Amino acid sequence: MKQLNLIYQSLKTIERLLEETLAKHEPQELDNLKDYLDKEQVLKYFKITDSTYYRWIAMGRLKPYGPSGALRFKKEDLLKLMERRRYRERI
């Protein structure tokens, strides 16, 4: 019985830690962001990996502005991309 209590307490601790970690990584609302977003904001908003990010740039889905070392993306372009993705998922 003592071992079951230890296992239960361990699971509760793991659950709490997971909830805290997930809360830290909640996606930002696009409405609260500035007119231009950087790479990290785009990755968080779309929940994509680096490879997807670079693939989308190569495919023309993401249109960067600025010098290659400091790419920024227009908020309005991201809203349009999100709308296209939502429409595609409903089909």
Side-chain angles (χ1 to χ4, degrees):
M1 190 66 165
K2 190 175 183 179
Q3 288 179 334
L4 287 176
N5 280 336
L6 286 173
I7 292 170
Y8 177 77
Q9 291 303 321
S10 296
L11 288 173
K12 282 296 193 186
T13 302
I14 291 169
E15 180 182 35
R16 181 182 50 80
L17 291 171
L18 283 171
E19 287 174 357
E20 289 173 5
T21 303
L22 288 173
K24 289 178 187 175
H25 297 342
E26 287 294 317
Q28 295 176 314
E29 290 295 324
L30 198 57
D31 294 338
N32 297 333
L33 299 174
K34 297 180 180 180
D35 289 336
Y36 286 88
L37 286 77
D38 63 14
K39 174 186 172 186
E40 293 305 316
Q41 291 169 316
V42 171
L43 293 176
K44 284 181 184 178
Y45 182 71
F46 285 104
K47 297 179 184 176
I48 58 174
T49 62
D50 279 349
S51 60
T52 301
Y53 167 83
Y54 290 113
R55 189 174 65 246
W56 284 8
I57 290 174
M59 293 170 63
R61 285 187 183 170
L62 289 174
K63 296 177 182 94
Y65 297 89
S68 61
L71 299 181
R72 297 288 183 261
F73 303 89
K74 285 186 180 178
K75 181 176 165 179
E76 63 188 60
D77 291 346
L78 298 176
L79 288 170
K80 289 176 188 174
L81 176 60
M82 182 54 97
E83 203 49 43
R84 284 195 311 263
R85 290 184 74 214
R86 283 185 184 145
Y87 178 73
R88 184 192 76 215
E89 290 171 359
R90 285 188 295 227
I91 294 175

